[in-house]
Amino acid sequence: MVDCIFCKIVAKEIPSQIVYEDDSIMAFNDINPVAPIHVLVIPKKHILNINYLTEQDEQVIGKIFSTIKTIAAEMGVGDTGFRVVSNSGSDGGQEVDHLHFHLIGGKALGKKIG
Ligand code: AMP
Ligand code: ZN
């Protein structure tokens, strides 16, 4: 069993501010937000990062993006805009080794992405 902080959040062994949950995905507020809206959307299944996705994961990835759209609309930034980021591997700046998508918004984010 991997010792993974996001698997522990999924198992409710670590508390989080859950924004959305169903049988295969979960969304919760980032503990260290970089913008007024900063939600992490993850598959419940432990997948290390984008590099470890397989064909079997295509459905859950689709659901993650549909949910990002819904959360952005519910939080009032669907039309004004937001950013989605997934850091993968060491050069990508990934710190938590469980696939996650940052939904960031609530302010003008500017052009810098790297
Ligand atoms: P990354 O650099 O893409 O791996 O980002 C990991 C993110 O997880 C960071 O933005 C952290 O603030 C966030 N994070 C770490 N631990 C927790 C936690 N217990 N609850 C919510 N967010 C967390
Ligand atoms: Zn995990």
Side-chain angles (χ1 to χ4, degrees), residues 1-8 10 42-48 96-99:
M1 186 65 197
V2 283
D3 187 25
C4 169
I5 193 164
F6 286 178
C7 283
K8 287 180 179 157
V10 168
I42 70 169
K44 285 190 167 178
K45 174 185 163 189
H46 183 85
I47 300 168
L48 211 153
V96 176
D97 287 339
H98 180 130
L99 178 64

Side-chain angles (χ1 to χ4, degrees), residues 49-64:
N49 62 37
I50 289 172
N51 193 41
Y52 290 80
L53 286 171
T54 69
E55 248 176 59
Q56 277 91 56
D57 302 318
E58 286 177 1
Q59 201 176 352
V60 77
I61 295 303
K63 194 185 251 188
I64 283 172

Side-chain angles (χ1 to χ4, degrees), residues 23-53:
D23 56 338
S24 61
I25 73 171
M26 195 163 168
F28 51 93
N29 285 327
D30 196 292
I31 205 167
N32 189 18
V34 299
I37 295 168
H38 190 166
V39 177
L40 300 173
V41 189
I42 70 169
K44 285 190 167 178
K45 174 185 163 189
H46 183 85
I47 300 168
L48 211 153
N49 62 37
I50 289 172
N51 193 41
Y52 290 80
L53 286 171

